[in-house]
Amino acid sequence: MSTVPPAAISVVGIGADGWDGLPARSRRVLGAAEVLIGGPRQLGLLPAAECPGERIAWPSPLRPAVPGLFADHQCRRIAVLASGDPMFYGIGRTLVETLDSESRAGLRVLPHPSSVSYACARVGWALEAVETVSLVGRPLAALSASLHDRRRVLVLSEGAGTPGAVAALLREKGFGGTRIRVLEQLGSDRERILDGTADTWPHESADPLNVIALDLVRSPGAPRLGAVPGLPDEAYEHDGQLTKRYVRAATLAALAPAPGELLWDIGGGSGSIGIEWMRTDRSCRAVAVEKDPARAARIERNAASLGVPALRVVTAAAPGGLAGLPTPDAVFIGGGLTAPGLLDACWDALPAGGRLVANTVTLESEALLARWYGEHGGELVRLAVAQAVPVGGFTGWRQAMPVAQWSVTKAGAGA
């Protein structure tokens, strides 16, 4: 990959107020640039007289084109235009991830106030107390995981139709009383705020450049989904293949997800373990491996409904379906334990310090877990849950099938 001399690439944040809103240093950098790269809207904000450099609009798809584009203009002064703060859901991150190390060393970023900073200033919210969800290039379902009563959320909009789509989602999820404010053209002299509630949202469209502020209100009787593992079983579509609520909570505790980690959920069933793993932090990732096509499709529906549509589903039997998957930080085996070679394949795939948790209700699989426990240690427990049910005119306990659970951390360097 070609390199760019130090300080040859500047990333300049620009707002809806365009050239007039830029500080002197940003103007100097843009005026001195030999090559100006950005979206058509951003490039259109620069006056030709002050910024005479060659103008190049981003190609599509953008990310694969970045190395070649900068190689074509090596040894020239390049300025990249970004909306607001380039390092906040912006092009700055893309450049850091795609340019080579020498080019990254010469990268300088000149930020502008982000749309989120402007939005908080307009509606009087403390920035540190607000959650931000981007729907730019992401499915609408990603917002679902952030819906909690009395929570304030800012949504980075995909375009003119996003506010209406968000209002429809809020109604569907039982948050129709939520106040919605759509803040258009923030920072420019064309600023406007559309106001209403999800139940009665009257605006068919909005300016494409908008941020959505949500004061979330859960409707009486709407399902309440907490932020920790152990969602109600009713939150899932399932055919009986579901790790039940209390066992699920104990299983996630044993898996111990941390930000950025990847889980293999093998024998996904309804996807509940992978879904609740991803709900613990937005950066957590999961791959569900499920051989039954109907169940695999059901996992995808559950993941979208519960706000983690990025969960990856592999429709294949394990261990064969594990080939080529990225290295996991943790593995959960909820089904198929006795499949030849499955435990060996999972164990071999785990790095030192990786965790494995396996659940079973059969004696044959329990014997297998006991053997592995004897060889590798860890913790072997039996989880038993009973629920109170009517017995004639009285109340008694109904025992669910006990679940044997083996959890272990793989030893070695870094464990």
Side-chain angles (χ1 to χ4, degrees):
M1 189 183 299
S2 299
T3 60
V4 180
I9 304 175
S10 299
V11 186
V12 180
I14 189 169
D17 49 356
W19 183 255
D20 291 341
L22 289 175
R25 186 183 181 195
S26 295
R27 290 189 182 190
R28 288 196 300 270
V29 168
L30 293 172
E34 297 169 283
V35 179
L36 297 161
I37 304 175
R41 183 187 65 82
Q42 296 157 341
L43 291 171
L45 296 172
L46 302 183
E50 285 84 353
C51 302
E54 178 185 357
R55 301 187 180 207
I56 300 174
W58 286 116
S60 181
L62 187 151
R63 185 176 283 260
V66 166
L69 179 61
F70 283 86
D72 290 343
H73 298 282
Q74 60 181 322
C75 301
R76 302 178 73 188
R77 292 187 301 277
I78 300 173
V80 176
L81 288 169
S83 294
D85 186 343
M87 303 307 294
F88 185 74
Y89 290 102
I91 191 64
R93 175 179 176 178
T94 301
L95 297 182
V96 168
E97 292 175 347
T98 54
L99 292 174
D100 58 64
S101 57
E102 186 174 347
S103 300
R104 289 197 302 271
L107 194 69
R108 60 178 172 180
V109 178
L110 304 177
H112 192 81
S114 69
S115 57
V116 165
S117 294
Y118 274 121
C120 284
R122 298 298 184 265
V123 299
W125 291 354
L127 182 57
E128 72 274 10
V130 173
E131 182 176 2
T132 301
V133 177
S134 176
L135 296 182
V136 180
R138 296 169 174 83
L140 178 67
L143 178 60
S144 298
S146 300
L147 302 183
H148 300 285
D149 194 32
R150 293 173 290 177
R151 183 73 169 148
R152 288 173 169 174
V153 176
L154 288 176
V155 179
L156 305 183
S157 180
E158 176 81 81
T162 304
V166 166
L169 178 71
L170 292 170
R171 293 193 296 270
E172 175 191 339
K173 296 295 184 181
F175 284 81
T178 296
R179 183 184 182 187
I180 301 176
R181 282 174 282 184
V182 178
L183 301 100
E184 303 176 337
Q185 291 284 338
L186 283 165
S188 78
D189 56 7
R190 300 182 302 281
E191 274 195 24
R192 184 176 67 151
I193 298 179
L194 306 179
D195 204 336
T197 66
D199 271 337
T200 59
W201 186 247
H203 310 286
E204 294 184 3
S205 187
D207 187 278
L209 199 62
N210 72 78
V211 175
I212 307 167
L214 304 177
D215 275 298
L216 292 169
V217 176
R218 183 170 60 90
S219 303
R224 182 184 182 278
L225 302 182
V228 299
L231 297 181
D233 293 345
E234 295 75 23
Y236 292 92
E237 176 190 347
H238 65 91
D239 61 358
Q241 290 297 312
L242 174 72
T243 302
K244 299 302 190 289
R245 180 179 192 177
Y246 300 105
V247 173
R248 191 185 329 130
T251 300
L252 267 296
L255 286 166
E261 290 190 327
L262 172 67
L263 171 74
W264 287 1
D265 179 4
I266 300 172
S270 301
S272 61
I273 297 296
I275 288 169
E276 296 194 26
W277 168 282
M278 291 182 67
R279 281 174 60 93
T280 62
D281 189 87
R282 198 180 303 165
S283 64
C284 283
R285 298 162 294 138
V287 179
V289 180
E290 170 56 57
K291 66 180 180 180
D292 183 274
R295 287 176 179 164
R298 190 176 293 118
I299 292 172
E300 292 180 339
R301 293 194 296 272
N302 281 330
S305 175
L306 292 168
V308 288
L311 184 147
R312 178 183 172 187
V313 180
V314 174
T315 308
L322 307 179
L325 295 183
T327 301
D329 298 287
V331 175
F332 170 67
I333 306 176
L337 260 174
T338 56
L342 176 57
L343 264 172
D344 297 275
C346 293
W347 189 256
D348 291 343
L350 275 176
R355 290 96 63 202
L356 187 148
V357 176
N359 290 356
T360 188
V361 295
T362 70
L363 293 175
E364 293 79 5
S365 294
E366 187 173 321
L368 180 63
L369 292 184
R371 179 167 64 81
W372 277 74
Y373 167 68
E375 295 175 0
H376 299 283
E379 188 175 23
L380 185 61
V381 300
R382 179 172 289 170
L383 305 172
V385 177
Q387 290 184 312
V389 296
V391 179
F394 299 92
T395 303
W397 292 108
R398 175 173 293 164
Q399 186 77 41
M401 292 183 69
V403 176
Q405 180 181 93
W406 178 50
S407 58
V408 64
T409 298
K410 188 172 181 178

